[in-house]
Amino acid sequence: QVQLVESGGGLVRPGGSLRLACAASGFTFSSYVMKWYRQAPGNERELVAAVANIGGLTNYADSVKGRFTIHRDNAKNTVYLQMNGLEPEDTAIYYCNAWSVGMGGQWLDYWGQGTQVTVSS
């Protein structure tokens, strides 16, 4: 059974930091691109950061570049999102996503349940 379990969310003051973690099980973690998305009330879900399954190449939304860092630990089947310099605009539910393409060309796309991040003074 595929599971993605996020943790590390919470309430933080502007300028503060949080580290989110997503523990994966039930699939071959090292074969999947791992991503973090977020969704704020009234907004569409947006891609925040991604890390490739090979080579560790990363990609970030312009709004978080220089502040957020995505990192994967294949030995622990876990992906992290280090968030520094948090701003009220970062307030959202953060979701972990695992993506790959199967042998038949079908998309394999798994989601966690989300973790709330609130940035407020």
Side-chain angles (χ1 to χ4, degrees):
Q1 180 182 1
V2 172
Q3 280 194 311
L4 294 172
V5 180
E6 299 101 333
S7 61
L11 173 64
V12 64
R13 295 184 183 275
S17 298
L18 283 175
R19 189 178 80 152
L20 305 183
C22 171
S25 61
F27 62 99
T28 306
F29 179 81
S30 59
S31 297
Y32 282 67
V33 176
M34 297 302 298
K35 306 176 187 179
W36 286 96
Y37 286 79
R38 68 185 180 187
Q39 187 167 20
N43 290 359
E44 294 186 354
R45 192 171 296 190
E46 63 170 346
L47 178 64
V48 175
V51 58
N53 54 320
I54 299 174
L57 187 66
T58 58
N59 188 42
Y60 297 93
D62 287 343
S63 59
V64 306
K65 280 181 181 176
R67 300 188 298 123
F68 290 11
T69 303
I70 188 170
H71 168 71
R72 67 188 299 157
D73 186 337
N74 288 344
K76 295 183 178 180
N77 287 357
T78 301
V79 61
Y80 304 93
L81 185 68
Q82 178 66 44
M83 306 186 293
N84 299 329
L86 283 162
E87 304 167 351
E89 294 74 23
D90 296 316
T91 296
I93 300 174
Y94 284 70
Y95 297 91
C96 177
N97 171 262
W99 180 87
S100 185
V101 178
M103 295 290 288
Q106 75 278 20
W107 280 27
L108 304 172
D109 199 23
Y110 307 127
W111 292 88
Q113 81 289 349
T115 185
Q116 176 71 48
V117 171
T118 303
V119 184
S120 175
S121 56

